[in-house]
Amino acid sequence: MSSKFKGKSANRPDITRAALDPEQSTVHSKMDLVSKTLFAPFNNKKKDSSRILTDLAPVIMTPRMINAAATVSSRSQSSLGASAPGGSRLDFATLGRAPMRLTLGTRRITSRDLQIIEATDELLDAEIPEAGGIASDVSLLRGFNATVPSSEKNRTRRKQMRNVETPRIGLKKLGMSARGMMIEDEEERSIASEEDVVVVSRLDERGKRKGKRRGRESLSSAKALGKDELRRQTQEIILDKENLHVRRSLINSEIAEINNKIKALDSIRGSLEQDLLKLHEDELELDDELEGVQERIEFEEAAFRQSDNTKTAPAPHVAPSRRRRGPVFLPSEHDELPPGVAFMTLESHLTPIAALDFSEPYGTLVSASQADSQPRLWDLMTGSEIGRLRGHRGAVKCIQVEDNLCLTGAEDGSVRLWDLRLVDEEDWERDGLADVVEEDEGAAYDGELVEKPNGIRSNEPSEAGTADQAGPCIRLFEGHSKAVTALYFEDECLVTGASDKTLRQWDLATGQCVMTMDILWAISHPQPTITGTGIPNHTFPSAAASAGHFAVPTPPSADGSWDMYEDFVGGVQFWGYGLVSGSGDGAVRMWDMRTGQAHRTLMGHTGPVTCLQFDEMHIASGSLDKSIRIWDVRTGGTFETLKYDHAVTALQFDTRKVVAATGENNVKIYNRTSMQHSSLSTNGHTQPVERLRYMDRYLVSGGRDAAVKIWTL
């Protein structure tokens, strides 16, 4: 095998033949050969890479190594070729995966190693792929020499050369003792070789001048290095600077690789965090579903007891739809609808929508528009109008629907309770014609609907608090002197808020007012105030709040339109004995319904509160100051604050999301789990959204375009 390499090396350049001849080692050393072949950087030419390996192979594969490898095994080249699986051709990828075990020790060399040796010519003829980065301008050997520990040898030699022989002053001992360390008194060993040390004669101590003491000369003047040594040090310093440049480039390449790995890991982490948030949302959804199932169990048990004893058992309690968290019953076709799309439009109103509410998905919807005293009743299954609720003399400002019952509050200061099962399309069409003929402008009040002998309903008031059972209006609540702008009822309790700056609590069974809570009295007798963001309690002066007529201009919407906001009470809701109200002075007040006193005031909004929602743990309030605040009921502090570009006119929230109307054509949705904002706009409104209401995956919105949109979430 050695003769084989000698025969092949006869065609090599003279410099390669001299490198293989031991007698010519004094003329051309191995390091000189390697320096000439590999020291120059790559120029992105594949033929140069092949030439470099071709010139380097005879130096690496010395006769001594080849002979040592050949004596281990006597297998023929044909048997080695057959040992390769499938007779596959070797390439650089195979060579990189092969274990390099060609050593001079006692370890056995395998046939795979010999196969690589036999394929040397084939590997040398192959083209080497050029690498980018530092390999494009720094050779392999150059980078190796710049990083090995011996690259610091020149610097150490120069330091030794600058040492001056002086009487022992014990500097090392002083340094060790300063650190509290004990050392043995022994001479330090120099790491520089003897041939690198330049001997400089030392002045004889006897040659020192005697007499007057003079200043000590500098250490540098006591040693002469010579031009050759200084020239050598100059070259070494230049080489060390090049080494530092190479090492800096290598470190920068490693940093760039680490940055790429960090980006990849950040991407993976972000994906895992999204999965974790999805699991958290699923957990919250399961909690709501469990609560809904438990409420359903209580309802069915109460209904079963009532069926057994219809005379003594009370009516089964049903939680209001605004509080239900569990899933609702939806038709199977609802799953086929794409999410975030308005799949139905109800067009009958002529003015912007002022209030709306529905009983359940695909159930009954009641909507009212500005300057319209007749709320419309819709069948959400077919999208058709069923009828109208006639009785109010002013525009309806607020609506709440629960099952077959509906409560409406209007500008005439009255609240009406309706039985939606008694509404008939033929009746409201006939009543509309009758009103044109029989309208009496001098009537004092358009009260309950009373059936006259001729079959035409009149607006003459009947017995206080009651209405004729033949019509859909089954109860009338009178007491407010101005428009009723907010209401909420549950079981037999009703709370209303009006522009007369009062809150009233009613008994649904009797129609009587149980308690009146004066907001002006609460303003003039402030209770402990909890400030959300350091905003004082006098953001809206009490003088303006107590004025005879409350009116504040609204901020411009997305389309530039604006209006005068005149609803002093923006929203009311109670839970147990706790009542929460939002008013025109920007305050959210908490009342005790047993005493009628406001015991806590939450300040933070800089504009009138237009809407709110209250549950056991949190209060969500929206304002004309373009923000939504979620308050913690336990501490009274702000839990979350959501900022928008326009005024907030309606909101609804649960444990997973906040849905709001913010003066734009789309509906805003805030995911409380992932803290991400999104919007619903596909097939949506052409003017800003004013009112909304959702239940599970079903949402209804009304806008200034006088249209009602049905969405799937």
Side-chain angles (χ1 to χ4, degrees):
M1 185 179 295
S2 61
S3 61
K4 178 180 179 180
F5 270 83
K6 287 181 181 179
K8 291 188 176 183
S9 63
N11 297 327
R12 304 292 183 188
D14 294 339
I15 186 173
T16 307
R17 188 182 301 108
L20 293 175
D21 192 353
E23 297 179 358
Q24 300 295 332
S25 60
T26 59
V27 181
H28 299 288
S29 62
K30 295 181 179 179
M31 183 56 66
D32 294 336
L33 176 61
V34 172
S35 300
K36 292 180 180 179
T37 55
L38 291 182
F39 198 72
F42 290 131
N43 295 323
N44 294 327
K45 295 181 179 180
K46 297 182 178 180
K47 61 180 182 179
D48 294 340
S49 304
S50 302
R51 181 180 57 79
I52 290 173
L53 284 183
T54 303
D55 295 339
L56 184 61
V59 180
I60 299 176
M61 306 300 294
T62 60
R64 183 179 179 183
M65 182 180 295
I66 295 175
N67 292 333
T71 56
V72 176
S73 177
S74 60
R75 295 181 181 179
S76 61
Q77 184 174 359
S78 60
S79 62
L80 290 176
S83 63
S88 61
R89 185 172 177 267
L90 281 177
D91 54 5
F92 277 96
T94 307
L95 179 60
R97 293 192 299 267
M100 300 301 293
R101 292 189 290 267
L102 291 176
T103 61
L104 301 179
T106 58
R107 187 174 180 180
R108 182 179 180 86
I109 299 177
T110 62
S111 60
R112 185 66 172 172
D113 302 330
L114 298 179
Q115 183 182 3
I116 295 174
I117 296 174
E118 294 295 334
T120 303
D121 295 335
E122 184 180 351
L123 294 174
L124 292 176
D125 295 336
E127 295 183 356
I128 302 176
E130 296 293 341
I134 189 63
S136 62
D137 55 3
V138 178
S139 63
L140 179 63
L141 183 61
R142 187 72 182 86
F144 174 77
N145 289 334
T147 55
V148 295
S150 61
S151 62
E152 301 291 334
K153 180 179 178 181
N154 294 333
R155 180 180 296 181
T156 306
R157 191 193 68 81
R158 291 195 302 272
K159 290 181 180 180
Q160 294 293 337
M161 291 298 298
R162 296 189 182 97
N163 290 338
V164 180
E165 294 294 336
T166 58
R168 301 290 295 181
I169 58 180
L171 294 179
K172 181 177 180 181
K173 185 176 181 180
L174 290 176
M176 292 298 184
S177 62
R179 294 188 294 170
M181 300 177 62
M182 298 180 62
I183 62 172
E184 297 180 358
D185 188 9
E186 59 180 7
E187 295 293 335
E188 297 181 4
R189 297 180 179 179
S190 175
I191 62 175
S193 61
E194 295 181 356
E195 60 182 9
D196 292 334
V197 176
V198 177
V199 180
V200 180
S201 61
R202 185 173 54 181
L203 294 176
D204 192 356
E205 294 180 358
R206 294 175 296 178
K208 294 182 179 179
R209 297 180 181 180
K210 297 181 180 180
K212 187 178 179 181
R213 186 174 181 180
R214 301 179 61 182
R216 183 181 61 81
E217 296 180 355
S218 64
L219 295 178
S220 60
S221 63
K223 194 167 187 177
L225 299 178
K227 292 184 178 180
D228 294 339
E229 176 61 26
L230 293 177
R231 191 177 296 108
R232 178 181 177 181
Q233 289 187 10
T234 302
Q235 295 177 355
E236 289 177 354
I237 292 173
I238 295 175
L239 181 60
D240 290 343
K241 291 182 65 176
E242 293 177 356
N243 290 340
L244 291 179
H245 171 70
V246 173
R247 293 167 65 179
R248 184 185 297 111
S249 301
L250 293 175
I251 292 175
N252 290 332
S253 298
E254 292 180 0
I255 292 175
E257 183 179 358
I258 291 174
N259 290 334
N260 293 333
K261 292 181 180 179
I262 291 175
K263 291 181 180 179
L265 292 176
D266 288 340
S267 177
I268 297 174
R269 179 178 180 176
S271 177
L272 294 177
E273 288 178 350
Q274 292 296 328
D275 295 341
L276 189 61
L277 292 176
K278 183 62 171 60
L279 293 177
H280 185 52
E281 291 182 356
D282 294 342
E283 182 181 6
L284 295 176
E285 185 177 358
L286 290 176
D287 292 339
D288 295 342
E289 185 176 359
L290 178 61
E291 184 174 351
V293 171
Q294 292 175 350
E295 292 179 356
R296 189 68 184 180
I297 291 175
E298 296 176 358
F299 171 75
E300 293 187 358
E301 288 179 352
F304 179 75
R305 289 193 301 267
Q306 184 181 12
S307 61
D308 292 342
N309 190 358
T310 56
K311 295 182 180 180
T312 59
H317 169 71
V318 180
S321 61
R322 296 172 188 258
R323 260 191 220 167
R324 294 179 203 157
R325 298 180 181 177
V328 298
F329 295 93
L330 294 171
S332 57
E333 294 180 355
H334 185 81
D335 295 333
E336 301 176 0
L337 295 173
V341 176
F343 62 92
M344 184 181 296
T345 303
L346 307 180
E347 296 178 341
S348 176
H349 295 283
L350 302 178
T351 54
I353 303 299
L356 58 83
D357 196 9
F358 63 93
S359 60
E360 62 179 0
Y362 299 96
T364 303
L365 168 69
V366 179
S367 61
S369 60
Q370 297 179 5
D372 187 1
S373 61
Q374 301 178 9
R376 287 163 169 76
L377 184 63
W378 305 84
D379 183 358
L380 293 177
M381 185 68 72
T382 61
S384 59
E385 183 177 352
I386 300 175
R388 300 184 184 182
L389 305 179
R390 299 176 50 81
H392 288 291
R393 296 187 59 187
V396 175
K397 307 284 290 186
C398 51
I399 297 174
Q400 182 178 349
V401 178
E402 298 293 342
D403 293 333
N404 296 317
L405 297 179
C406 175
L407 274 167
T408 57
E411 289 182 346
D412 57 10
S414 66
V415 178
R416 290 178 177 268
L417 176 63
W418 310 84
D419 188 346
L420 301 180
R421 294 171 296 183
L422 303 179
V423 178
D424 188 8
E425 183 177 1
E426 296 180 357
D427 289 342
W428 70 262
E429 288 181 351
R430 182 175 63 253
D431 293 343
L433 297 176
D435 277 350
V436 175
V437 180
E438 302 287 342
E439 183 177 3
D440 184 7
E441 297 181 357
Y445 184 73
D446 188 6
E448 298 82 13
L449 304 181
V450 179
E451 192 75 11
K452 285 189 174 182
N454 58 4
I456 301 177
R457 294 180 182 178
S458 71
N459 295 322
E460 297 178 0
S462 61
E463 185 181 355
T466 61
D468 187 75
Q469 295 298 324
C473 181
I474 59 178
R475 186 72 64 186
L476 174 65
F477 304 89
E478 294 178 300
H480 288 290
S481 59
K482 291 187 177 181
V484 178
T485 58
L487 61 84
Y488 180 80
F489 81 93
E490 181 178 347
D491 294 339
E492 300 297 327
C493 182
L494 166 66
V495 175
T496 58
S499 294
D500 59 4
K501 304 176 183 61
T502 62
L503 305 176
R504 289 179 178 265
Q505 179 181 349
W506 308 81
D507 188 344
L508 283 179
T510 62
Q512 300 297 321
C513 178
V514 178
M515 183 180 298
T516 301
M517 291 159 275
D518 193 348
I519 299 178
L520 295 182
W521 189 92
I523 294 176
S524 60
H525 298 77
Q527 298 295 323
T529 302
I530 298 177
T531 306
T533 57
I535 297 176
N537 197 4
H538 56 275
T539 301
F540 292 92
S542 58
S546 60
H549 181 69
F550 174 79
V552 176
T554 61
S557 301
D559 59 352
S561 61
W562 65 279
D563 201 353
M564 295 298 296
Y565 181 77
E566 301 178 356
D567 300 344
F568 186 78
V569 180
V572 294
Q573 190 173 351
F574 61 85
W575 188 288
Y577 293 108
L579 171 65
V580 176
S581 67
S583 52
D585 60 347
V588 177
R589 290 182 174 84
M590 303 181 67
W591 306 75
D592 189 343
M593 296 176 63
R594 295 168 295 186
T595 62
Q597 301 296 321
H599 59 85
R600 182 182 293 182
T601 303
L602 308 179
M603 299 301 300
H605 286 294
T606 59
V609 177
T610 58
C611 50
L612 62 81
Q613 184 181 347
F614 173 43
D615 62 13
E616 290 179 316
M617 303 293 293
H618 301 98
I619 300 173
S621 59
S623 172
L624 294 183
D625 62 2
K626 309 175 184 179
S627 70
I628 292 177
R629 291 180 178 269
I630 301 179
W631 310 81
D632 192 333
V633 177
R634 298 163 295 182
T635 63
T638 302
F639 183 75
E640 284 181 292
T641 301
L642 309 179
K643 299 289 186 179
Y644 296 97
D645 297 330
H646 307 283
V648 179
T649 57
L651 68 84
Q652 189 178 346
F653 81 103
D654 56 24
T655 56
R656 291 169 289 167
K657 60 183 176 294
V658 178
V659 183
T662 61
E664 298 183 10
N665 297 356
N666 49 32
V667 178
K668 297 293 185 180
I669 298 179
Y670 172 71
N671 191 321
R672 299 180 64 185
T673 305
S674 62
M675 295 182 290
Q676 294 179 349
H677 293 267
S678 60
S679 60
L680 303 178
S681 58
T682 305
N683 195 29
H685 293 275
T686 58
Q687 294 185 23
V689 179
E690 289 288 332
R691 298 291 182 266
L692 59 84
R693 176 85 164 87
Y694 80 87
M695 191 179 301
D696 197 17
R697 295 179 293 135
Y698 191 89
L699 182 143
V700 178
S701 64
R704 293 187 180 181
D705 54 1
V708 177
K709 298 282 184 176
I710 316 298
W711 306 77
T712 175
L713 298 178

